[in-house]
Amino acid sequence: MKKDKQKRGLVLASIMLAMFLAAIEATIVSTAMPSIVADLGGFSLYSWVFSAYLLTNAATVLLFGRLADVFGRKPIFMLGISLFLLGAVLCALAPSMNVLIGARLVQGLGAGALMPIATTIVGDIYTKEERAKIQGYLSSVWGISAVTGPALGGFFVDLLSWPYVFWMNIPLGLLALFGILFFFKEEVSKEKRSVDVAGSMWVVITVSTLMIILVEGGVGIDWMSWTMLSMIVVALIGALAFFFHERKTDDPMMPMDLWHIRSIRYANLTSLTTGMILIGVSSYLPAFVQGVMEQSATVAGFTLTTMSIGWPIAATVAGRLILKIGFRPTAILGGVSLIIGGIIFSMLSPEKGPLFAAMGSLFIGIGMGLSSTSFIVSIQNSVVWQKRGIATATNMFMRTIGSAVGAALLGGILNSQVANAIESSSLPASFSVDSANSLLREETRKQLSEEALLVLQDGLTSGLHLVYMGLLVLAVLSFLLILRIPKKED
């Protein structure tokens, strides 16, 4: 028994290490992104580095969950870590922005397997009574990664170079891989179940087309062109095909009957909007702090760290609040905090300084911690044990889709504002959206003429102001959706 407990501890440590890698990826890359763009060029592709990772993550998270039910957790989890590490190596060696985006697609594939299967393995090896405590350990991984991510990103960029952001995954990933390989033993059910590959393909087609529309619309592709019209048609057909396919298949990737449960429906819709808020803060705040406020990567990292500190603390407090006042009032408090954060960001200007930006981040983090914890408890209380895994994965899927669409939509807004600022100025034709690269590093900033510096910073400031006004709208929408969650499940 003692040996089993020891093995369980080692399996848990391996899972937490793998989750740490997937969780730290967002914040550490966000902090390094201005330096990566300054080095590789391609400011117009900025949002694709996030979108590519989130796209394959979102498109495969439900598929990997199903594969783990059919073939067992161990082989699929190990496949996930291997793909994640392969993507990290390719990212570190990337000679251009296009190669980096391709490598992020591979890394996102791996992350799609890591997150849901890690939670499932914990459910398999711990009893119902033990799970609450272990869930606390897993939440702490998000907290630790969120706090250390921006700091590590700033450290690597300021003292070493950006490829180290990806190289650091290798030793940790190999430790997690060997831990699962040697210590995790599982009994795989011999029951024959199908894998919904078609459903997964429709998700990939729909989400990737939608993201191209949002990022390139009005910048790379004219809104009134045949190319844009045909892409909108493809996205609509893909979404409808996915919906009808999932309704008639025996083993659906996303069981549609889950959406009939009110608490799940509104928790999932809110996760979609909060996913967009999350990516809006973590992707573009470093660009504002470095490009407009002219601060270092370390300071940019600090403004994100406050969100990362607020989230795990609020998630821990939420666990106690849910027991005292219920999950709906706890989620409402989270919605209020998101609105406060949205208001602070909508007022953000270069003169306000990094501390003001950090305050906005803190309130967004508190809102995310209170609401997301409430959603998981609400969802898991609403379904039978057999559907708990897929119900939880569906909520993760909605937040990831929100982040993917948010990165594309907000990136599209930013690019078009920078493009408009350049077009309406008297700058030479050689200036484009990619010229904003120069703002993200001190030495290239100094080489710009006074007019160019002013035009580009104005474009970036107005673009990011629109992004942050969008965050406030999304925060209000999230709050209204939270109010629709029933007090008790009908």
Side-chain angles (χ1 to χ4, degrees):
M1 186 68 189
K2 195 177 177 187
K3 197 176 178 188
D4 276 358
K5 271 199 167 180
Q6 192 183 356
K7 274 193 177 174
R8 275 199 321 181
L10 290 165
V11 171
L12 180 64
S14 304
I15 287 169
M16 287 170 73
L17 202 51
M19 282 183 78
F20 176 75
L21 291 180
I24 202 171
E25 202 50 38
T27 48
I28 197 167
V29 174
S30 297
T31 315
M33 263 315 289
S35 297
I36 294 172
V37 172
D39 193 19
L40 299 181
F43 185 85
S44 58
L45 299 172
Y46 192 105
S47 62
W48 275 113
V49 176
F50 301 100
S51 299
Y53 178 80
L54 292 163
L55 166 64
T56 45
N57 188 340
T60 57
V61 67
L62 297 172
L63 177 66
F64 279 128
R66 177 65 74 201
L67 287 171
D69 284 343
V70 178
F71 299 108
R73 322 311 190 202
K74 188 172 179 174
I76 306 303
F77 195 66
M78 288 173 65
L79 173 68
I81 297 176
S82 304
L83 283 169
F84 189 87
L85 293 181
L86 172 65
V89 171
L90 295 173
C91 285
L93 298 172
S96 70
M97 206 65 158
N98 290 327
V99 174
L100 181 67
I101 290 164
R104 292 285 282 169
L105 287 168
V106 177
Q107 213 179 6
L109 268 180
L114 291 185
M115 300 314 290
I117 300 174
T119 319
T120 312
I121 291 173
V122 167
D124 292 346
I125 63 176
Y126 288 96
T127 64
K128 194 175 179 180
E129 293 72 31
E130 291 170 315
R131 269 180 229 147
K133 185 179 160 190
I134 300 301
Q135 212 60 46
Y137 290 154
L138 296 186
S139 296
S140 72
V141 171
W142 283 96
I144 294 163
S145 65
V147 173
T148 52
L152 276 174
F155 168 79
F156 285 140
V157 166
D158 287 343
L159 294 177
L160 296 164
S161 62
W162 64 261
Y164 283 92
V165 162
F166 299 106
W167 286 125
M168 66 154 273
N169 289 312
I170 310 304
L172 298 177
L174 289 173
L175 267 177
L177 189 67
F178 291 130
I180 293 294
L181 177 64
F182 293 117
F183 302 116
F184 180 46
K185 305 280 183 281
E186 67 171 338
E187 296 291 320
V188 181
S189 149
K190 295 289 182 279
E191 184 191 347
K192 281 273 178 215
R193 293 176 75 178
S194 60
V195 177
D196 185 14
V197 178
S200 192
M201 289 311 299
W202 286 123
V203 170
V204 175
I205 290 166
T206 308
V207 178
S208 52
T209 312
L210 182 61
M211 282 160 68
I212 294 167
I213 292 167
L214 293 171
V215 175
E216 299 298 330
V219 181
I221 305 167
D222 188 38
W223 283 113
M224 292 298 151
S225 64
W226 281 108
T227 308
M228 182 56 76
L229 183 65
S230 56
M231 289 181 82
I232 291 169
V233 170
V234 169
L236 286 171
I237 290 170
L240 288 169
F242 175 72
F243 177 73
F244 289 113
H245 171 79
E246 293 299 286
R247 285 185 68 176
K248 69 175 200 297
T249 190
D250 292 335
D251 270 328
M253 196 167 82
M254 183 196 285
M256 289 297 162
D257 60 338
L258 287 175
W259 290 86
H260 298 154
I261 303 166
R262 266 184 74 192
S263 58
I264 290 183
R265 180 164 68 245
Y266 289 110
N268 285 350
L269 288 172
T270 314
S271 291
L272 183 77
T273 54
T274 54
M276 294 172 83
I277 293 171
L278 189 62
I279 202 73
V281 176
S282 57
S283 303
Y284 298 111
L285 192 55
F288 191 86
V289 175
Q290 283 178 254
V292 181
M293 292 183 179
E294 301 188 3
Q295 301 285 342
S296 70
T298 307
V299 173
F302 158 74
T303 59
L304 275 188
T305 303
T306 53
M307 176 173 77
S308 315
I309 293 169
W311 188 327
I313 292 172
T316 309
V317 171
R320 292 176 187 175
L321 275 177
I322 289 164
L323 295 175
K324 284 187 178 173
I325 62 173
F327 58 78
R328 188 174 180 270
T330 307
I332 288 171
L333 283 174
V336 171
S337 186
L338 287 173
I339 290 176
I340 295 169
I343 290 168
I344 292 172
F345 275 122
S346 70
M347 294 158 62
L348 191 62
S349 67
E351 301 77 45
K352 294 275 197 321
L355 275 175
F356 190 81
M359 185 64 72
S361 282
L362 178 66
F363 277 102
I364 296 289
I366 292 169
M368 292 300 297
L370 291 172
S371 59
S372 59
T373 309
S374 307
F375 296 156
I376 292 295
V377 173
S378 159
I379 287 165
Q380 295 191 340
N381 286 350
S382 306
V383 290
V384 293
W385 182 88
Q386 289 86 340
K387 284 193 173 175
R388 200 168 285 163
I390 193 67
T392 309
T394 302
N395 186 254
M396 280 184 189
F397 170 75
M398 291 303 287
R399 193 199 295 165
T400 310
I401 286 285
S403 289
V405 171
L409 175 65
L410 300 171
I413 291 171
L414 181 60
N415 283 349
S416 60
Q417 282 298 110
V418 175
N420 289 344
I422 293 168
E423 275 171 36
S424 56
S425 73
S426 55
L427 289 177
S430 56
F431 277 84
S432 69
V433 174
D434 288 334
S435 305
N437 298 341
S438 312
L439 296 175
L440 304 175
R441 192 176 273 167
E442 194 180 347
E443 48 272 33
T444 47
R445 211 166 33 230
K446 283 177 180 169
Q447 289 166 18
L448 290 169
S449 67
E450 202 171 321
E451 187 200 0
L453 182 66
L454 204 64
V455 168
L456 291 172
Q457 283 194 334
D458 278 354
L460 196 57
T461 306
S462 63
L464 287 166
H465 182 66
L466 268 184
V467 165
Y468 293 137
M469 289 304 291
L471 290 192
L472 178 57
V473 172
L474 289 167
V476 172
L477 184 57
S478 301
F479 181 71
L480 294 173
L481 287 168
I482 287 169
L483 291 179
R484 303 285 297 160
I485 294 174
K487 292 180 179 126
K488 284 194 171 69
E489 191 43 58
D490 21 84

